[in-house]
């Protein structure tokens, strides 16, 4: 149930929703049962482990699966663990941009399922802390630093440009658009997510290369001048989902997809 498997299984659940093929559902259920419907525990990671959003990404699969299984209390463990984060009074443990993808949708999914707005607020405050207090979001460039080690006062590309990791932009952008798919347009969170999402899209489009792909170092593409698949897939998904949700103008952005 680590983050790599969880990201794959998000795709599996989406494939089931789109096609109705039971094989996708069965595969996801077998995976959840094998994991005992628990968060991932990294014995070498920080404690408590569920504060690392990589370890809770699996809930993005568990929660939809709960709608199709009859067994009760399968969510007892993950509900207890995530509820503990509501009480700790801290918002500083999302310290790298990947966690927007891994964790932000989880908190809003919990709020929706359990009718508890405290989960909405916790996810939002974790997001704001990463963005503002930890300064991972560059408000001028409208992109995210991978973590504090990549802030411009600490590290630049060999040609002196800021380091905006391609996959990291994809992680953040997909996390935002998935959150926008969940939260109500009337919620106090929606406009902040929409604003950052749209800013990022406008910033990323000019850096799409001629063959349609992005590079590992977004604004210094010649640093590693080869097409980068993970960033491209994530950004493309986020663009397509944004068009579907009415966040982006179809005529303008569909050619980028």
């Amino acid at each position: 149930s680590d983050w790599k498997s969880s990201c794959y299984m998000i795709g599996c659940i989406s494939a089931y929703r789109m096609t109705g093929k039971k094989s996708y559902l069965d595969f996801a259920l077998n995976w959840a049962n094998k994991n005992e419907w628990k968060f991932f525990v990294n014995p070498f990671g920080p404690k408590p482990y569920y504060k690392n959003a990589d370890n809770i990404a699996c809930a993005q699969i568990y929660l939809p699966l709960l709608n199709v299984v009859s067994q009760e209390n399968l969510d007892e463990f993950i509900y207890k663990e995530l509820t503990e984060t509501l009480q700790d009074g801290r918002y500083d443990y999302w310290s790298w941009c990947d966690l927007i993808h891994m964790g932000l949708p989880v908190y809003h999914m919990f709020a929706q399922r359990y009718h508890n707005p405290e989960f909405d607020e916790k996810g939002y405050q974790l997001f704001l802390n990463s963005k503002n207090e930890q300064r991972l979001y560059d408000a001028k460039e409208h992109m995210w630093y991978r973590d504090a080690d990549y802030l411009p006062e600490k590290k630049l590309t060999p040609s002196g440009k800021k380091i905006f990791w391609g996959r990291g932009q994809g992680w953040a952008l997909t996390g935002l658009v998935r959150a926008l798919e969940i939260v109500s347009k009337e919620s106090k969170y929606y406009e902040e997510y929409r604003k950052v999402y749209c800013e990022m899209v406008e910033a990323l489009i000019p850096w799409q290369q001629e063959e349609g792909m992005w590079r590992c170092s977004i604004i210094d593409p010649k640093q590693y001048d080869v097409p980068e698949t993970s960033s491209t897939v994530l950004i493309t998904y986020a663009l397509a989902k944004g068009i579907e949700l009415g966040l982006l103008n179809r005529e303008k952005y569909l050619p980028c997809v």
Side-chain angles (χ1 to χ4, degrees):
S1 58
D2 64 1
W3 69 267
K4 298 182 289 294
S5 298
S6 297
C7 289
Y8 178 86
M9 297 306 297
I10 290 171
C12 184
I13 286 292
S14 297
Y16 169 66
R17 286 171 172 162
M18 292 180 65
T19 66
K21 289 186 177 180
K22 192 172 180 295
S23 57
Y24 291 124
L25 176 61
D26 290 342
F27 187 72
L29 284 170
N30 288 336
W31 178 79
N33 287 328
K34 183 178 179 181
N35 298 332
E36 298 180 335
W37 299 78
K38 292 182 178 180
F39 292 139
F40 179 69
V41 177
N42 181 355
F44 305 105
K47 303 292 189 299
Y49 60 87
Y50 50 81
K51 291 188 176 182
N52 178 348
D54 280 347
N55 299 336
I56 69 172
C58 51
Q60 297 188 48
I61 302 95
Y62 296 161
L63 293 184
L65 289 176
L66 289 172
N67 296 324
V68 297
V69 295
S70 57
Q71 186 175 343
E72 296 182 356
N73 300 322
L74 289 172
D75 57 341
E76 182 177 6
F77 179 87
I78 60 172
Y79 180 79
K80 175 181 178 294
E81 298 286 274
L82 205 67
T83 300
E84 289 187 19
T85 69
L86 303 181
Q87 318 301 329
D88 63 20
R90 291 186 56 187
Y91 305 103
D92 59 351
Y93 43 82
W94 285 5
S95 56
W96 60 101
C97 67
D98 316 32
L99 302 188
I100 299 169
H101 173 94
M102 307 298 173
L104 188 60
V106 170
Y107 276 91
H108 290 305
M109 291 170 76
F110 265 68
Q112 188 177 78
R113 180 173 183 85
Y114 301 107
H115 309 288
N116 185 349
E118 291 184 45
F119 287 112
D120 278 327
E121 185 65 19
K122 183 70 177 191
Y124 181 64
Q125 292 300 329
L126 286 164
F127 167 80
L128 287 183
N129 186 280
S130 297
K131 174 177 175 281
N132 299 327
E133 279 77 6
Q134 299 184 56
R135 298 190 296 123
L136 297 189
Y137 185 66
D138 190 307
K140 180 180 179 181
E141 304 290 352
H142 297 149
M143 296 187 205
W144 292 79
Y145 300 104
R146 196 272 175 185
D147 56 56
D149 289 338
Y150 290 87
L151 293 172
E153 62 267 29
K154 295 184 179 180
K155 192 176 295 186
L156 298 168
T157 70
S159 61
K161 296 181 181 179
K162 296 175 181 178
I163 300 175
F164 295 115
W165 178 40
R167 191 195 304 168
Q169 309 317 307
W171 287 137
L173 200 63
T174 54
L176 284 165
V177 80
R178 285 174 63 78
L180 285 162
E181 191 175 19
I182 299 166
V183 301
S184 165
K185 290 183 179 181
E186 288 72 41
S187 78
K188 69 176 185 178
Y189 316 109
Y190 187 89
E191 183 54 30
E192 173 70 14
Y193 297 154
R194 188 203 65 79
K195 177 178 178 291
V196 177
Y197 168 82
C198 290
E199 287 176 349
M200 288 187 67
V201 168
E202 290 298 315
L204 287 166
I205 291 300
W207 296 104
Q208 188 177 27
Q209 303 300 305
E210 289 185 6
E211 79 288 301
M213 302 185 76
W214 281 265
R215 299 296 187 261
C216 182
S217 185
I218 294 288
I219 70 170
D220 194 0
K222 293 189 181 300
Q223 183 181 4
Y224 301 103
D225 196 10
V226 293
E228 208 288 309
T229 55
S230 62
S231 61
T232 300
V233 167
L234 289 164
I235 294 169
T236 302
Y237 166 83
L239 292 174
K241 180 59 71 173
I243 293 170
E244 178 186 315
L245 296 176
L247 297 164
L248 302 177
N249 179 277
R250 178 177 292 272
E251 290 185 9
K252 180 178 179 180
Y253 292 101
L254 190 59
C256 303
V257 174

